[in-house]
Amino acid sequence: MHRLPEQGVGWAELEQQMQAAKAKDVDWVNGRAAVYIHYAGDDVLEVAKKAYQMFFSENGLGLRAFHSLAKFESEVVGMGLSLLNGGNAGRGAMTTGGTESIFLAVKAARDWARQARPVTGTPEILLARTAHPAFDKAAHFLGLHTVRVPVGADFTADVEAMRGAVTPQTVMVVGSAPAYPHGVVDPIAALAALATEKNLWMHVDACVGGYIAPFAKKLGAPIADFDFAVSGVTSISADLHKYGYTAKGASTLFFRDADAFGFMAYDFDNWPRGRYLTNTLVGTRPGGAIAAAWAVMNYLGEAGYLRVTERILATRRAHEEGLRKLGLTIWGRPELGILAYGSETHDIRAIGERLASKGWLVGYLTEPMGIHLMLNLTHEPVVDAYLADVAWAIRTADKPITTAHAATY
Ligand SMILES: Cc1ncc(COP(=O)(O)O)c(C=O)c1O
């Protein structure tokens, strides 16, 4: 068992040990990881790090003490709401990530339903098969069930099938913009219409798309309205630590109005230390993540986000074109930074294993079998290298791997 050292270790030694520990990590800086990382340039990273460090010790639980963080959070929420057509009635808060935002959206929907449309038995969340597992996790913790419905041939939510799955217990409908597996946006307007018709809470999971889709739309990408511009949408989750390019530990959860927002909070005062009222699941919140979000959003501004988005979309298109030329199939019609591809002639796992042997971190899709990529600016300079390795992997897919370094991730 690893034990606390008896005597403290100096920073120089610790730094060395940590550098050594990093040595076997995936080389994300050189674009080898199309997951986990959202990079928009060294300058953006520097701003995020400096801002994080300035507010490293401050705690977002104590907004009465840290007026700075209260201002940052309020302005971040304002910027997010304005990007997502929130209007003056819109409300929201920062959370520590997509899972927390989704957890709180489910909690809000559950509490709303208890008040506005109580059901007998376990309340249900209706969602497409491609929605993120965070909904199941939240449902598990909060005493709801999820009902996952198969998607259509284009991998987006099948609204008619979802209509058929509505039961007297259904309280919430979810659409993703985009869903993580294929990177395609669900038909949000049709789902919201279904929600309105059946008096259900409609949540849009824009954890991945919230801070890239608005800019892609402005750049002319044919993305249908997916935010509060669609009537019937009650809440939206949008992660800053993904395509907002801020420090990890930052997401936003938005509500159409103050009434819906009211269901997010938890209010308690039956203990000796007075009232404990929090909007979030967590208590202590990293001041650094709140500050870094504010700093990065202001540093990039609309022009900066447009520039980065344009480059990421071009990088995705370059992958699509190159992969198609190699005879591979792109699953669905990806619209943002995610794409997934498979092969009708080759074993995609064999291709993936070869890519892994060259140092690429490979993420697999299982329905249909494929390889998943979530792209950022680290991938821009390595498109050709990636495609060359895919071409090599296809050529050698039937032979045993001979490369010295086997996959370690
Ligand atoms: C669509 C979608 N929703 C939610 C999440 C969960 O976000 P987090 O990992 O920040 O909790 C993810 C993560 O990739 C996602 O892709």
Side-chain angles (χ1 to χ4, degrees), residues 37 55 98 105 116 133 152 163 167 176 206 248 269 288 336 345-346 378:
I37 300 284
F55 288 85
R163 170 186 296 279
T167 74
S176 303
K248 287 186 181 57
D269 70 357
L336 297 161
T345 45
H346 298 283
T378 62

Side-chain angles (χ1 to χ4, degrees), residues 260-303:
F261 179 54
F263 292 105
M264 180 182 181
Y266 179 72
D267 195 356
F268 180 83
D269 70 357
N270 185 19
W271 76 321
R273 182 58 172 79
R275 190 175 184 201
Y276 184 86
L277 169 65
T278 48
N279 281 326
T280 48
L281 169 64
V282 299
T284 289
R285 295 190 297 159
I290 296 170
W294 182 88
V296 167
M297 289 175 99
N298 281 292
Y299 176 74
L300 280 172
E302 176 159 333

Side-chain angles (χ1 to χ4, degrees), residues 108-119 123 142-144 171 263:
R110 183 198 66 176
D111 290 359
W112 163 79
R114 279 179 182 165
Q115 203 178 88
R117 57 181 323 286
V119 301
L142 291 165
L144 289 83
V171 296
F263 292 105

